[in-house]
Amino acid sequence: MFQDLKDSNSSQFQVSEFVLMGFPGIHSWQHWLSLPLALLYLLGLGANILILITIYQEASLHQPMYHFLGILAVVDMGLATTIMPKILAILWFNAKAISLPECFAQMYAIHCFVTMESGIFVCMAIDRYVAICRPLRYPSIVTDSFVIKATMFMAVRNCLSPISVPILAAQRNYCLHNQIEHCFCTNLGVTSLSCDDRKINSINQIFLAWLIMGSDLGLIIVSYALILQSVLKLNSKEAASKALNTCTSHLILILFFYTVIVVISITHSGGMKLPLIPVLLNVLHNVIPPALNPMVYALKNKELRQGLCKLLRLNIKSK
């Protein structure tokens, strides 16, 4: 698709490839960052694969909540794999060149996976809302069919909605500069090199952010507000504590995910004098969650922790 876009607009493309420079301001020693980034990437892949195997093998984990967790693991691995091989190639082999179709394809994939992760957080929030606020109806509402339909809806939504981002970026005229001060192809980083007006790209980016991420965050806030309201009405402190404990891991991951997105948006729009900060945050936002998510769930969820210990043949008593 992106190759066709390039061919159809060949008269507008004076640049045949982009050059990803890596981390701004630290090009001379940025290769030292490859070790922690590679370790985070491998840790994320290994941890998420363990989560998937555990959920698959343990019959007690064949529940909607864990199905969503498994889908989140797949999305995390996809997001990290979309950017990390290229980043490591830049840092290890100085392979900075990337063709325009590859760049636009990477841009599209990143948007798909990020919005998909946001969508799965919404599904998990709804799952917890029904489990805590409508416990008697939970088995009839949140079924395997519900999980499949919700996942399919999110997949279709998050594959179709961001497609305008690379299409509009491919229609820009890149005639002078081709060096991107970033580790991967972001919409703002790429279109900032265009020689013509990129206002439509910025408007589209903001519109999609509010439409998808904004609506997702709104639904999550409403879900957890209703959960909190329901928990506060419980007479038993033990029951309230147990109910809140099932949401803690979700809230930790959701807060990290959306907080970093907000900070990245502010630093980009504010035009920081230190461009390294938003680039570093952007990279970490795509690398840390795949490693962090399984750890948080393993630590906070007794059933999953027991399943992991059983899989790893560890004789550990889960509290």
Side-chain angles (χ1 to χ4, degrees):
M1 179 182 69
F2 301 116
Q3 183 64 52
D4 293 339
L5 281 171
K6 180 184 174 185
D7 293 339
S8 65
N9 294 284
S10 58
S11 61
Q12 297 184 14
F13 283 95
Q14 281 74 44
V15 173
S16 60
E17 63 182 16
F18 291 126
V19 179
L20 295 168
M21 300 302 294
F23 295 95
I26 59 169
H27 296 153
S28 60
W29 58 272
Q30 64 181 0
H31 57 278
W32 291 107
L33 295 176
S34 63
L35 181 59
L37 289 176
L39 289 175
L40 274 174
Y41 177 51
L42 293 176
L43 176 63
L45 287 182
N48 282 290
I49 289 172
L50 278 177
I51 291 288
L52 288 172
I53 295 174
T54 302
I55 293 172
Y56 176 76
Q57 290 190 349
E58 284 295 313
S60 62
L61 300 181
H62 293 174
Q63 304 173 33
M65 182 177 75
Y66 298 105
H67 292 328
F68 284 129
L69 180 57
I71 297 166
L72 181 64
V74 173
V75 172
D76 279 339
M77 288 190 291
L79 178 58
T81 303
T82 299
I83 68 166
M84 278 310 301
K86 183 59 181 178
I87 292 177
L88 294 178
I90 293 171
L91 300 180
W92 285 342
F93 310 113
N94 205 35
K96 299 180 178 180
I98 183 171
S99 69
L100 271 65
E102 288 175 335
C103 187
F104 298 138
Q106 185 188 57
M107 185 189 301
Y108 172 69
I110 291 170
H111 279 79
C112 285
F113 282 119
V114 170
T115 53
M116 187 66 186
E117 184 156 356
S118 176
I120 295 302
F121 281 140
V122 172
C123 294
M124 296 171 85
I126 293 172
D127 171 79
R128 289 300 85 201
Y129 163 75
V130 178
I132 294 172
C133 300
R134 300 288 187 271
L136 297 179
R137 298 187 61 191
Y138 181 82
S140 62
I141 295 176
V142 185
T143 60
D144 288 342
S145 175
F146 172 83
V147 174
I148 294 171
K149 290 177 182 177
T151 303
M152 290 300 297
F153 171 77
M154 287 299 173
V156 171
R157 184 199 75 166
N158 299 319
C159 285
L160 292 180
S161 56
I163 202 167
S164 60
V165 175
I167 289 177
L168 290 174
Q171 292 177 344
R172 299 278 66 79
N173 182 21
Y174 303 94
C175 59
L176 295 176
H177 307 289
N178 70 337
Q179 293 186 350
I180 303 173
E181 288 293 337
H182 213 299
C183 300
F184 53 88
C185 293
T186 64
N187 183 37
L188 295 177
V190 172
T191 55
S192 64
L193 301 177
S194 66
C195 301
D196 50 2
D197 187 14
R198 61 186 181 95
K199 186 179 294 184
I200 184 64
N201 299 77
S202 300
I203 293 173
N204 182 63
Q205 182 84 22
I206 295 171
F207 173 74
L208 287 177
W210 278 105
L211 179 65
I212 300 176
M213 310 295 280
S215 60
D216 285 352
L217 183 57
L219 286 171
I220 290 170
I221 291 173
V222 170
S223 296
Y224 281 104
L226 292 173
I227 288 172
L228 182 61
Q229 184 183 46
S230 179
V231 168
L232 292 176
K233 292 179 180 179
L234 295 175
N235 296 324
S236 171
K237 290 185 178 180
E238 184 179 350
S241 176
K242 184 178 179 180
L244 287 175
N245 190 54
T246 63
C247 301
T248 305
S249 53
H250 301 167
L251 287 173
I252 291 172
L253 302 179
I254 289 168
L255 284 172
F256 178 83
F257 180 80
Y258 287 103
T259 300
V260 176
I261 287 180
V262 171
V263 172
I264 291 172
S265 301
I266 292 173
T267 53
H268 270 299
S269 60
M272 286 191 65
K273 295 181 179 179
L274 292 174
L276 172 63
I277 303 300
V279 172
L280 187 60
L281 284 174
N282 216 329
V283 172
L284 293 178
H285 181 254
N286 294 324
V287 177
I288 289 180
L292 179 67
N293 293 356
M295 293 182 185
V296 171
Y297 275 102
L299 289 172
K300 299 296 296 182
N301 188 285
K302 180 181 177 181
E303 291 78 11
L304 184 60
R305 187 166 66 248
Q306 289 175 335
L308 283 169
C309 290
K310 184 178 177 181
L311 178 67
L312 298 173
R313 303 291 195 275
L314 296 176
N315 187 21
I316 298 176
K317 292 183 179 180
S318 296
K319 296 181 180 181

Short mmCIF file of all heavy atoms in Angstrom, two decimals, residues 1-2 5 104 107-108 111-112 157-169 204 208 212:
data_model
loop_
_atom_site.label_atom_id
_atom_site.label_comp_id
_atom_site.label_asym_id
_atom_site.label_seq_id
_atom_site.Cartn_x
_atom_site.Cartn_y
_atom_site.Cartn_z
N MET A 1 0.83 -1.20 0.00
CA MET A 1 0.00 0.00 0.00
C MET A 1 0.87 1.25 0.00
O MET A 1 0.65 2.19 -0.74
CB MET A 1 -0.92 0.02 1.22
CG MET A 1 -1.79 1.26 1.29
SD MET A 1 -2.82 1.27 2.76
CE MET A 1 -1.58 1.49 4.02
N PHE A 2 1.89 1.25 0.89
CA PHE A 2 2.74 2.43 1.01
C PHE A 2 3.65 2.58 -0.21
O PHE A 2 4.00 3.67 -0.60
CB PHE A 2 3.56 2.33 2.29
CG PHE A 2 2.70 2.24 3.51
CD1 PHE A 2 2.71 1.11 4.32
CD2 PHE A 2 1.83 3.27 3.83
CE1 PHE A 2 1.91 1.03 5.42
CE2 PHE A 2 1.01 3.19 4.95
CZ PHE A 2 1.06 2.07 5.74
N LEU A 5 1.61 4.32 -2.75
CA LEU A 5 1.53 5.75 -2.42
C LEU A 5 2.78 6.47 -2.90
O LEU A 5 2.73 7.56 -3.45
CB LEU A 5 1.37 5.94 -0.91
CG LEU A 5 -0.03 5.71 -0.35
CD1 LEU A 5 0.02 5.72 1.17
CD2 LEU A 5 -0.99 6.76 -0.87
N PHE A 104 6.89 4.59 6.64
CA PHE A 104 5.44 4.80 6.78
C PHE A 104 4.76 3.56 7.35
O PHE A 104 3.79 3.67 8.11
CB PHE A 104 4.83 5.17 5.43
CG PHE A 104 5.36 6.46 4.86
CD1 PHE A 104 5.67 6.59 3.51
CD2 PHE A 104 5.57 7.56 5.68
CE1 PHE A 104 6.16 7.78 2.99
CE2 PHE A 104 6.07 8.76 5.17
CZ PHE A 104 6.36 8.86 3.82
N MET A 107 5.44 3.56 11.05
CA MET A 107 4.59 4.58 11.65
C MET A 107 3.17 4.04 11.86
O MET A 107 2.57 4.24 12.94
CB MET A 107 4.55 5.81 10.72
CG MET A 107 3.81 7.02 11.26
SD MET A 107 3.62 8.28 9.97
CE MET A 107 5.32 8.62 9.53
N TYR A 108 2.65 3.36 10.85
CA TYR A 108 1.30 2.79 10.94
C TYR A 108 1.23 1.71 12.01
O TYR A 108 0.30 1.68 12.82
CB TYR A 108 0.91 2.22 9.57
CG TYR A 108 -0.37 1.43 9.58
CD1 TYR A 108 -1.60 2.07 9.77
CD2 TYR A 108 -0.36 0.05 9.39
CE1 TYR A 108 -2.78 1.35 9.77
CE2 TYR A 108 -1.54 -0.68 9.40
CZ TYR A 108 -2.75 -0.03 9.59
OH TYR A 108 -3.92 -0.75 9.60
N HIS A 111 1.18 3.12 15.60
CA HIS A 111 -0.13 3.67 15.95
C HIS A 111 -1.14 2.56 16.21
O HIS A 111 -1.95 2.65 17.15
CB HIS A 111 -0.64 4.58 14.82
CG HIS A 111 -0.07 5.96 14.84
ND1 HIS A 111 1.19 6.25 14.36
CD2 HIS A 111 -0.57 7.13 15.30
CE1 HIS A 111 1.42 7.54 14.51
NE2 HIS A 111 0.37 8.10 15.08
N CYS A 112 -1.09 1.50 15.42
CA CYS A 112 -2.02 0.37 15.62
C CYS A 112 -1.83 -0.27 16.98
O CYS A 112 -2.79 -0.51 17.72
CB CYS A 112 -1.82 -0.67 14.52
SG CYS A 112 -2.48 -0.21 12.91
N ARG A 157 -11.08 -1.45 14.81
CA ARG A 157 -11.00 -0.01 15.09
C ARG A 157 -9.57 0.51 14.99
O ARG A 157 -9.30 1.54 14.37
CB ARG A 157 -11.55 0.29 16.49
CG ARG A 157 -11.61 1.77 16.83
CD ARG A 157 -11.72 2.03 18.32
NE ARG A 157 -10.47 1.80 19.04
CZ ARG A 157 -10.23 2.21 20.28
NH1 ARG A 157 -11.18 2.84 20.96
NH2 ARG A 157 -9.07 1.97 20.86
N ASN A 158 -8.65 -0.23 15.58
CA ASN A 158 -7.28 0.26 15.69
C ASN A 158 -6.43 -0.05 14.46
O ASN A 158 -5.29 0.42 14.37
CB ASN A 158 -6.63 -0.33 16.94
CG ASN A 158 -7.35 0.09 18.20
OD1 ASN A 158 -7.77 1.23 18.35
ND2 ASN A 158 -7.55 -0.85 19.12
N CYS A 159 -6.97 -0.81 13.53
CA CYS A 159 -6.29 -1.00 12.25
C CYS A 159 -6.77 0.02 11.22
O CYS A 159 -6.00 0.43 10.34
CB CYS A 159 -6.52 -2.42 11.72
SG CYS A 159 -5.57 -3.68 12.58
N LEU A 160 -8.04 0.41 11.33
CA LEU A 160 -8.62 1.34 10.35
C LEU A 160 -8.38 2.81 10.71
O LEU A 160 -8.05 3.62 9.84
CB LEU A 160 -10.11 1.08 10.20
CG LEU A 160 -10.52 -0.25 9.57
CD1 LEU A 160 -12.04 -0.37 9.49
CD2 LEU A 160 -9.91 -0.41 8.19
N SER A 161 -8.56 3.15 11.99
CA SER A 161 -8.51 4.57 12.37
C SER A 161 -7.15 5.24 12.14
O SER A 161 -7.12 6.40 11.71
CB SER A 161 -8.95 4.74 13.84
OG SER A 161 -8.17 3.95 14.69
N PRO A 162 -6.00 4.57 12.38
CA PRO A 162 -4.73 5.28 12.19
C PRO A 162 -4.21 5.27 10.77
O PRO A 162 -3.13 5.81 10.51
CB PRO A 162 -3.75 4.53 13.12
CG PRO A 162 -4.44 3.31 13.61
CD PRO A 162 -5.77 3.24 12.94
N ILE A 163 -4.96 4.68 9.82
CA ILE A 163 -4.43 4.53 8.47
C ILE A 163 -4.24 5.88 7.79
O ILE A 163 -3.42 6.03 6.88
CB ILE A 163 -5.35 3.62 7.63
CG1 ILE A 163 -4.57 3.03 6.46
CG2 ILE A 163 -6.58 4.36 7.16
CD1 ILE A 163 -5.29 1.90 5.76
N SER A 164 -4.97 6.90 8.26
CA SER A 164 -4.82 8.23 7.68
C SER A 164 -3.46 8.85 8.00
O SER A 164 -2.98 9.72 7.26
CB SER A 164 -5.93 9.15 8.19
OG SER A 164 -5.88 9.28 9.60
N VAL A 165 -2.84 8.41 9.10
CA VAL A 165 -1.56 9.00 9.52
C VAL A 165 -0.46 8.75 8.48
O VAL A 165 0.15 9.71 7.97
CB VAL A 165 -1.14 8.48 10.92
CG1 VAL A 165 0.25 9.00 11.28
CG2 VAL A 165 -2.16 8.89 11.96
N PRO A 166 -0.16 7.49 8.10
CA PRO A 166 0.88 7.28 7.09
C PRO A 166 0.47 7.76 5.70
O PRO A 166 1.32 8.18 4.91
CB PRO A 166 1.11 5.77 7.12
CG PRO A 166 -0.15 5.19 7.64
CD PRO A 166 -0.66 6.19 8.63
N ILE A 167 -0.83 7.69 5.39
CA ILE A 167 -1.28 8.15 4.06
C ILE A 167 -1.01 9.64 3.90
O ILE A 167 -0.48 10.09 2.88
CB ILE A 167 -2.77 7.83 3.86
CG1 ILE A 167 -2.97 6.32 3.68
CG2 ILE A 167 -3.32 8.59 2.65
CD1 ILE A 167 -4.42 5.90 3.53
N LEU A 168 -1.39 10.43 4.91
CA LEU A 168 -1.14 11.88 4.84
C LEU A 168 0.35 12.19 4.87
O LEU A 168 0.82 13.12 4.20
CB LEU A 168 -1.85 12.58 6.00
CG LEU A 168 -3.38 12.63 5.93
CD1 LEU A 168 -3.96 13.23 7.21
CD2 LEU A 168 -3.83 13.43 4.71
N ALA A 169 1.11 11.42 5.65
CA ALA A 169 2.56 11.65 5.70
C ALA A 169 3.20 11.34 4.36
O ALA A 169 4.14 12.03 3.93
CB ALA A 169 3.17 10.77 6.80
N ASN A 204 -4.83 16.08 12.09
CA ASN A 204 -5.25 14.68 12.07
C ASN A 204 -4.72 13.92 13.29
O ASN A 204 -5.43 13.12 13.89
CB ASN A 204 -4.77 14.01 10.78
CG ASN A 204 -5.23 12.57 10.67
OD1 ASN A 204 -6.41 12.28 10.61
ND2 ASN A 204 -4.26 11.65 10.65
N LEU A 208 -7.19 12.26 16.09
CA LEU A 208 -7.16 10.83 16.41
C LEU A 208 -6.83 10.59 17.88
O LEU A 208 -7.38 9.68 18.51
CB LEU A 208 -6.13 10.12 15.52
CG LEU A 208 -6.50 9.93 14.04
CD1 LEU A 208 -5.35 9.29 13.28
CD2 LEU A 208 -7.77 9.09 13.91
N ILE A 212 -9.62 8.58 19.89
CA ILE A 212 -9.35 7.21 20.34
C ILE A 212 -8.85 7.18 21.77
O ILE A 212 -9.50 6.62 22.66
CB ILE A 212 -8.32 6.53 19.40
CG1 ILE A 212 -8.86 6.49 17.97
CG2 ILE A 212 -8.01 5.12 19.90
CD1 ILE A 212 -7.89 5.94 16.96
#
